């Protein structure tokens, strides 16, 4: 098992389920993405560049996009805040909040920029 998978499986339910679903959607939607482990988080790169990462934060799971500020058309779902200048994220508090279609759209938009 790789460190990214260990990170995901070590989280309590329902966070583990959210992380597993996000991981699956990322890999399915952007097949060329490479999964790694950076900054103690599951981290994904595309074409040798930062793509996204998964982060469990006590009350939610973040899928962060380091250059998310460049993604257009998703201001209704991408979250800034916390002093983030470039990074934007999608935040999930429960598994049923994951809108797979919207997530896939955001992933494809980020992939076009990477």
């Amino acid at each position: 098992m790789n460190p990214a998978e260990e990170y995901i499986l070590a989280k309590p339910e329902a966070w583990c389920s959210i992380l597993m679903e996000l991981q699956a959607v990322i890999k399915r939607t952007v097949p060329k993405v490479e999964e790694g482990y950076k900054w103690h988080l599951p981290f994904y790169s595309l074409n040798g560049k930062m793509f996204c990462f998964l982060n469990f934060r006590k009350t939610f799971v973040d899928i962060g996009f380091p250059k998310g500020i460049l993604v257009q058309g998703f201001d209704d779902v991408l979250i800034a805040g916390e002093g983030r200048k470039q990074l934007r994220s999608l935040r999930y508090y429960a598994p049923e909040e994951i809108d797979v279609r919207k997530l896939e759209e955001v992933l494809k938009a980020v992939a076009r920029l990477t």
Side-chain angles (χ1 to χ4, degrees), residues 50-51 64-71 86-88 110 113-114:
M50 296 185 297
F51 181 69
F65 302 99
K67 300 291 183 181
I69 195 168
L70 302 175
V71 180
Q86 299 284 317
L87 190 129
R88 298 294 180 267
V110 174
L113 297 172
T114 307

Side-chain angles (χ1 to χ4, degrees), residues 28-71:
R28 182 181 68 241
T29 305
V30 187
K32 292 183 180 182
V33 78
E34 294 180 28
E35 183 177 61
Y37 191 72
K38 228 180 214 184
W39 303 307
H40 305 286
L41 300 170
F43 199 90
Y44 301 85
S45 58
L46 182 63
N47 304 321
K49 297 178 183 176
M50 296 185 297
F51 181 69
C52 70
F53 62 88
L54 299 176
N55 188 14
F56 165 63
R57 308 268 312 263
K58 291 188 183 180
T59 61
F60 61 87
V61 169
D62 236 2
I63 176 170
F65 302 99
K67 300 291 183 181
I69 195 168
L70 302 175
V71 180

Side-chain angles (χ1 to χ4, degrees), residues 78-97:
L78 287 174
I79 298 170
E82 299 176 11
R84 299 169 165 179
K85 292 182 180 180
Q86 299 284 317
L87 190 129
R88 298 294 180 267
S89 66
L90 296 169
R91 211 167 262 181
Y92 302 102
Y93 296 87
E96 57 274 5
E97 290 183 356

